[in-house]
Amino acid sequence: RDHKFQTMGAFNDNVTFSHIAREWRCKWESKEGDLAELQKVLDSKLAAIKAVDGVVSVQRVVCGGCQDYKVVTKLDADKFGAWEEAKFAPEAEFLAEIEKLGVKRIETQTYTLETL
């Protein structure tokens, strides 16, 4: 479910934000198999992700215990709308490629992300 965020804002008087992130996530099963292949797919898309106007950071999260693989792209809030209009490219390509690997629970989420 996508949410339209304002360019900069607040949820209330003391919860404000100036960055919005898009997360792509899935569950992997094999360190030598699909985890290694997930990284190859990310490596092939990383330059395009970093080239998105307004990108502040791209982070990869891997949990060996619960087998999470997440890519979090953080943008300046005032640039996020344009990326959303572009359907978060290269999101569709990335998700299609990882789906072919047979990974489970492929999901996306949009949220605010601030360094405190």
Side-chain angles (χ1 to χ4, degrees):
R1 178 173 67 172
D2 291 322
H3 299 280
K4 295 281 185 184
F5 287 99
Q6 45 198 323
T7 57
M8 297 177 98
F11 292 102
N12 58 34
D13 289 341
N14 64 346
V15 180
T16 61
F17 63 91
S18 58
H19 298 95
I20 302 173
R22 181 72 171 177
E23 180 179 291
W24 307 333
R25 63 179 175 256
C26 66
K27 298 282 189 180
W28 54 273
E29 294 182 6
S30 164
K31 291 179 186 174
E32 291 77 25
D34 49 4
L35 179 59
E37 293 302 313
L38 280 166
Q39 188 59 45
K40 289 178 185 176
V41 174
L42 177 58
D43 289 344
S44 75
K45 305 292 181 225
L46 194 54
I49 298 166
K50 288 183 174 183
V52 172
D53 187 29
V55 166
V56 173
S57 66
V58 180
Q59 298 173 310
R60 184 203 62 218
V61 179
V62 178
C63 178
C66 62
Q67 298 176 304
D68 281 338
Y69 189 91
K70 302 178 181 185
V71 179
V72 181
T73 305
K74 179 179 177 179
L75 276 76
D76 291 319
D78 62 346
K79 302 289 187 175
F80 189 83
W83 192 37
E84 185 175 36
E85 291 295 318
K87 300 184 190 227
F88 306 110
E91 179 177 287
E93 294 172 13
F94 178 84
L95 298 178
E97 288 183 36
I98 69 170
E99 185 175 20
K100 291 177 188 174
L101 300 176
V103 296
K104 309 290 186 223
R105 293 186 55 196
I106 298 170
E107 301 172 335
T108 63
Q109 185 176 1
T110 299
Y111 47 78
T112 67
L113 183 61
E114 296 301 324
T115 301
L116 305 176

